[in-house]
Amino acid sequence: MYFESKISVSRQKGGSDQFYSAEHSRLENEVDESRKGSYTARNDESSSHESTTTFNYSLARGNHLWHSNAAFNIASTNDSYYSLVAEGFPFDRLDNLLFAAQYQANGRPTGDESTIRRIGYLYSGNYSYDNRFLADLSIKRDGSSQFGSDKRFGTFWSAGLGWNLHNERFLKNIEDINRFKLRSSYGTTGSLNIPAYSSLTRYIYSVSSTYFNELGADLNNLGNRMLTWQQVYKFNIGADIELFNHRLDLRLDWYRSITRDAVTQLTLAPSTGFSQFAENLGKVENVGFEYNIRYKLIDDRKRGNMWSVFVNGATNKDRLLALANRLKATNETLDKNNERQVVPNILLHEGMSQHAIYVVPSVGVDPTTGSEIFRTKDGQESFTWDASDKIAYGIARPTWNGNFGSNLLYRGIEIGVILNYQFGGQLYNQTLVNNVQDVNPRYNVDRRAYDLGWVHPGDLSQFTRIGLNTTPTRATSRFVQDNNLLTLSTLSIGYNFYKSPFVKRLGMRSFQLSAVTNDLFQWSSIDIERGTSNPFYRSFALSLRLGL
């Protein structure tokens, strides 16, 4: 039995500076010399403190073993930043903020701050009988300032059972079975993944608006004092297995979880003056399976020769079980806010996935007119695109995803390979829409825009007529494609000179040289450009490790 108390305090400061000279291409159309060149300065600051006190007690009697833990936790975090922009830098070398001619025209400093405070109580207990039967129980009471004044606290609990089959008489003497554990658990967890002040109605002073020399205040955030914890109820059953003198290692898990009081940023009509409102709306189900398998082809530790292969993966299917009426009503608002409809927007429907891609189904391009033919909800064909005809045509997340690879250590040579796979999901190929279907032929364009577009009556093409002043392509199933990927995510090669005589002569314990690269190649079922919206990079690193 013992007590333990920990206190941690941290404080961080950071900043960033971004300078564009007057000769930068982004300012080539600026005619006012006093505005050419810009400097953005930003400062960030964060601090936190946390205190945790725990009480532990263990009791062993014969084949019975009981361990208990009680804890009390209190924490606070604060984050803030401010940013300003200055203009007017006539020369490249005058890149200090002090050389600015003025602040940004019609601009002002921006910034924000957030403070979150938490308190929690925890009890957990573990019981074991003869290292065969296992049980555990935990209960936790948490409070957070992030939630409404009437819903600050949430209670969460979990219970689990385990059975070490390898310690039973009928399996204990089988040499090829080193471990065979069955386990199952059920419990609840809470989520803190919301902004600090989502539940508070906030005002901000408006320095540009005065009334009789008094400052005014604008409503900045619409609060919700009933905003409460999002709770996930999860049932899990799994197995941990080791076979053949620990050469084969398997971990299998099946789970079903129900998310209740899902925290949703509810989209509001522009007439309200707010774009969104945090609310507990909806009930979501997730069912999935995960596996992890590793096999040691060579396990000669005495000579330092080892070779293993591995594969892991996961699948998950989500479904919206229930939606509040207010959330159902937002579908119309979501469509209205996406006026151009050139990119699919999120829609929420009971019984469907949150990641469903909603588009109007396409029959194809009419060979006679070169126009797209759509299928309406009543099964008719039409040349008119209508948002009310949208259906869930795919899921924007893979059915399966995971990794596989190998690790080799042979006489000091070390090779590691990790490949990532995903298949079964869909993607709306916006790159194909922007760079081929809706391209402006007055500029340099993808060759497919000239070769594959409809031109004459009778042409069979995936694309409609490509030319000037054409109507933008709205969300259509014509560009929903299966998204299967295989990526060489990591490749490492190295050599450990631990057995080389010169290492000891130089007075070192170890000497290792290694090279690592990532994202070396990618195969995809979709011809799509990478880095058009989110940059990607390949890194090559060479490292030298010395042990003295």
Side-chain angles (χ1 to χ4, degrees), residues 396-423:
R397 67 183 304 175
T399 304
W400 283 94
N401 72 90
N403 301 286
F404 66 93
S406 179
N407 293 296
L408 172 66
L409 176 59
Y410 180 72
R411 295 186 177 181
I413 300 173
E414 300 178 2
I415 300 176
V417 181
I418 302 177
L419 295 100
N420 174 266
Y421 70 89
Q422 67 174 59
F423 63 87

Side-chain angles (χ1 to χ4, degrees), residues 72-230:
F72 169 74
N73 172 267
I74 186 170
S76 176
T77 61
N78 178 267
D79 297 281
S80 63
Y81 83 92
Y82 69 85
S83 176
L84 59 88
V85 181
E87 297 177 329
F89 295 86
F91 304 107
D92 286 351
R93 295 186 179 181
L94 299 180
D95 57 357
N96 190 290
L97 184 61
L98 299 177
F99 293 115
Q102 62 185 29
Y103 288 110
Q104 185 181 34
N106 301 317
R108 53 173 295 184
T110 59
D112 201 1
E113 70 84 28
S114 66
T115 300
I116 298 174
R117 295 187 173 92
R118 295 180 289 110
I119 188 171
Y121 314 87
L122 166 71
Y123 170 79
S124 64
N126 308 95
Y127 170 75
S128 171
Y129 174 72
D130 197 25
N131 200 21
R132 291 186 295 146
F133 303 107
L134 312 171
D136 59 73
L137 174 69
S138 69
I139 185 167
K140 189 176 185 181
R141 178 78 169 166
D142 271 334
S144 173
S145 62
Q146 295 163 270
F147 300 103
S149 56
D150 297 336
K151 301 288 184 178
R152 290 277 167 83
F153 284 85
T155 302
F156 314 99
W157 61 273
S158 66
L161 296 172
W163 185 12
N164 285 328
L165 284 167
H166 57 278
N167 287 332
E168 296 291 347
R169 293 180 181 178
F170 54 85
L171 290 181
K172 199 168 187 177
N173 296 322
I174 300 178
E175 295 182 356
D176 287 337
I177 300 178
N178 308 113
R179 188 185 187 203
F180 198 139
K181 179 182 179 181
L182 297 178
R183 49 186 166 73
S184 182
S185 64
Y186 182 76
T188 66
T189 57
S191 173
L192 290 168
N193 190 28
I194 61 171
Y197 302 131
S198 293
S199 66
L200 299 180
T201 297
R202 299 176 67 196
Y203 291 83
I204 184 170
Y205 284 113
S206 177
V207 295
S208 60
S209 302
T210 59
Y211 185 73
F212 286 101
N213 296 321
E214 295 290 339
L215 285 179
D218 295 330
L219 191 59
N220 182 252
N221 183 74
L222 194 59
N224 179 5
R225 65 185 182 88
M226 298 300 291
L227 186 67
T228 188
W229 291 79
Q230 173 178 292

Side-chain angles (χ1 to χ4, degrees), residues 55 64 208 233 255 544:
F55 166 75
H64 304 273
S208 60
Y233 294 76
Y255 64 87
L544 180 66

Side-chain angles (χ1 to χ4, degrees), residues 42-69:
R42 172 173 170 143
N43 283 278
D44 299 82
E45 185 172 346
S46 64
S47 62
S48 66
H49 64 266
E50 184 169 1
S51 173
T52 303
T53 301
T54 59
F55 166 75
N56 296 274
Y57 178 74
S58 298
L59 176 66
R61 290 288 187 271
N63 291 329
H64 304 273
L65 177 63
W66 179 264
H67 177 76
S68 293
N69 173 271

